[in-house]
Amino acid sequence: MSTAVENLGGQTPRGEKNLVTQLDYARAGQITPEMRAVAEAERRDPEFVRAGVAAGRIAIPANVRHLEKGLVPRGVGTGLSTKVNVNLGISGDVADASMEWEKVGTAEKYGADAIMDLSNSGKTRFFRQQLVERTPLMVGTVPMYDAIGYMEKPLVELTAEDLLATVRAHAEDGVDFLTIHCGINRRVIETFKETGRLMNIVSRGGSLLFGWMEVTGNENPFCEHYDEVLEICHEYDVTISLGDSCRPGCLFDANDAAETAEMIELGKLTKRAWDAGVQVMIEGPGHMAINEIAANVTMEKRLCHGAPYYVLGPLVTDVGVGYDHITAAIGGAISASAGADFLCNVTPAEHLCLPDAKDVLDGLIATRIAAHAADIAKGVPGAREADDRMGDARRRLAWGEMWDYALDPDTARARHEASPASTEGTCTMCGKMCAVRTVNKVFEGTTIDLDLE
């Protein structure tokens, strides 16, 4: 955990009265070591980061307990590089912890910024605690998934106190951001029922809360007791990721009345969280046609006051089953270039089964490509450098350097070496007719040998 912050006029010890979260310090005009670390990684001035955090445009999800265990701070928001999350966690049908740890290794090796533990079966706390202990990446969870197993009760018997206790357990364990579906209140449900949808509610957490509310007749506990949720988040500097219960699960439902009604509520909850000194991210779609994505991002930034936007894809078609890492990467690139800040990876197993480590790798690389392409379009400092170096390495046919600049050097090298070319320096696509080789020889004044026999 950090021990000091930088006041604009000197050093102030962390722990000053009422200053706990990154938002608290930023609003007090103080630059924390975490803000400075983000600024260095992003090639930004520390004051740029501090001002962004103070305004709510940037979040630094960094639970004070995870900082003690080696979290590397990362910033999410306007003016920063687009961040990428990897989902993992056991399910009731596939409870193989070793496979989940393999996914953790994949996330760390191939450049993820965050891991969300979506375990939803049995006692999940030990894995979550180990994850926080071991990984330097940001960790997120969804307490609603865990509540049934943690409290050992059926869904409809859970009380508001049970749900708040689950939130506290996750915060105490060092989770950096919590997805909590606070926006699906009675008003939103009334809009949902009145207007209808093709696929109803596809958010797992949102569906559980909808079911609980319908059976009990009560208001969403996370909405009704939002102040208590914020108190817990503030105590540990947990960033609240306001869940999109009504995110569209198909193109037909995108940007409909239910999604918009919930977004309006999330905007209200955002301001309340900031007033309580709690950092905020907003979760979004989902499935959405290409021509609707930019407008959706604009709507989120307007209704939620510029808070960082965290999107799942969006998937730009509903029929790419088995290839949804591609449909999501297309949507992610468009969404991030329009201003979204955080992309959740989607794997080829989406809609089909629990992904394995290879699925996670494929999804992660596709999502990183989307994020990187968007960062180039947004002019993020340094985003184009690797691409320009790759172009120079390709001109020189410097294969070893190409692997250094590739997002997945292992796959690139393996594919090239598996099909060795007979002409040194080329690949088996063009061989001696390699355009780069030919032009290089012209400029070198050497013989162009095109004898194909």
Side-chain angles (χ1 to χ4, degrees), residues 43-330:
R43 303 187 186 184
R44 291 290 190 180
D45 186 88
E47 175 58 20
F48 175 89
V49 176
R50 186 209 63 80
V53 173
R57 296 188 303 268
I58 293 175
I60 303 177
N63 187 308
V64 294
R65 293 196 168 176
H66 198 184
L67 283 171
E68 293 173 345
K69 300 176 186 298
L71 169 70
V72 175
R74 290 167 173 82
V76 181
T78 303
L80 306 182
S81 59
T82 305
K83 301 304 181 295
V84 172
N85 171 71
V86 163
N87 287 341
L88 49 81
I90 62 172
S91 72
D93 290 321
V94 184
D96 183 352
S98 64
M99 183 170 73
E100 300 314 307
W101 283 115
E102 186 178 356
K103 295 176 188 177
V104 171
T106 297
E108 293 176 348
K109 180 178 179 180
Y110 291 97
D113 300 289
I115 293 172
M116 284 206 78
D117 175 18
L118 302 184
S119 297
N120 58 30
S121 178
K123 295 295 184 180
T124 64
R125 192 169 197 181
F126 180 66
F127 178 79
R128 179 171 65 251
Q129 290 172 331
Q130 282 191 312
L131 182 61
V132 171
E133 183 77 30
R134 295 183 187 182
T135 188
L137 306 184
M138 298 183 290
V139 173
T141 58
V142 187
M144 190 66 204
Y145 295 177
D146 188 40
I148 296 172
Y150 183 71
M151 302 307 301
E152 297 183 331
K153 289 182 177 180
L155 173 66
V156 295
E157 293 182 13
L158 291 173
T159 64
E161 291 73 22
D162 293 334
L163 295 176
L164 291 172
T166 307
V167 170
R168 176 167 288 279
H170 284 233
E172 289 176 348
D173 288 344
V175 173
D176 302 298
F177 61 98
L178 295 177
T179 293
I180 304 181
H181 300 82
C182 307
I184 183 168
N185 56 25
R186 305 303 306 185
R187 289 188 296 272
V188 172
I189 287 178
E190 182 179 349
T191 297
F192 160 59
K193 289 181 174 179
E194 183 178 350
T195 58
R197 303 186 106 186
L198 181 60
M199 281 200 65
N200 295 322
I201 295 173
V202 301
S203 160
R204 188 191 303 167
S207 69
L208 293 172
L209 282 166
F210 172 74
W212 186 92
M213 293 165 69
E214 288 296 289
V215 170
T216 65
N218 296 326
E219 180 58 282
N220 177 352
F222 292 128
C223 178
E224 186 175 9
H225 300 277
Y226 189 56
D227 290 338
E228 290 92 329
V229 172
L230 295 178
E231 288 176 6
I232 296 170
C233 290
H234 187 269
E235 183 178 351
Y236 297 92
D237 195 4
V238 173
T239 297
I240 189 166
S241 185
L242 292 170
D244 184 13
S245 301
C246 295
R247 69 171 182 264
C250 61
L251 300 187
F252 187 89
D253 294 337
N255 291 320
D256 68 351
E259 182 185 7
T260 304
E262 185 179 24
M263 186 73 76
I264 292 170
E265 298 300 321
L266 297 185
K268 299 174 186 176
L269 296 171
T270 295
K271 281 198 166 183
R272 287 176 61 186
W274 287 341
D275 288 344
V278 175
Q279 300 183 93
V280 177
M281 297 189 296
I282 305 295
E283 293 194 3
H287 293 233
M288 190 166 289
I290 285 175
N291 60 304
E292 297 185 58
I293 294 174
N296 176 267
V297 177
T298 299
M299 180 176 71
E300 183 276 337
K301 293 294 182 178
R302 175 67 179 86
L303 295 179
C304 297
H305 321 291
Y309 201 22
Y310 173 29
V311 297
L312 181 72
L315 283 66
V316 295
T317 177
D318 298 334
V319 296
V321 184
Y323 300 90
D324 276 330
H325 59 311
I326 297 173
T327 66
I330 295 169

Side-chain angles (χ1 to χ4, degrees), residues 332-411:
I334 297 169
S335 182
S337 64
D341 308 287
F342 196 7
L343 303 182
C344 186
N345 84 315
V346 174
T347 77
E350 186 76 10
H351 303 111
L352 300 173
C353 60
L354 187 75
D356 60 21
K358 179 60 166 59
D359 291 324
V360 168
L361 173 60
D362 291 344
L364 174 55
I365 296 301
T367 309
R368 285 198 63 206
I369 290 170
H372 182 70
D375 287 348
I376 293 170
K378 289 190 288 190
V380 170
R384 261 276 299 276
E385 286 186 4
D387 297 81
D388 293 340
R389 290 172 181 165
M390 177 67 87
D392 181 64
R394 283 176 169 158
R395 175 184 59 80
R396 294 180 287 109
L397 294 173
W399 295 95
E401 291 183 37
M402 295 182 211
W403 314 146
D404 293 337
Y405 306 132
L407 291 177
D408 180 359
D410 296 335
T411 296

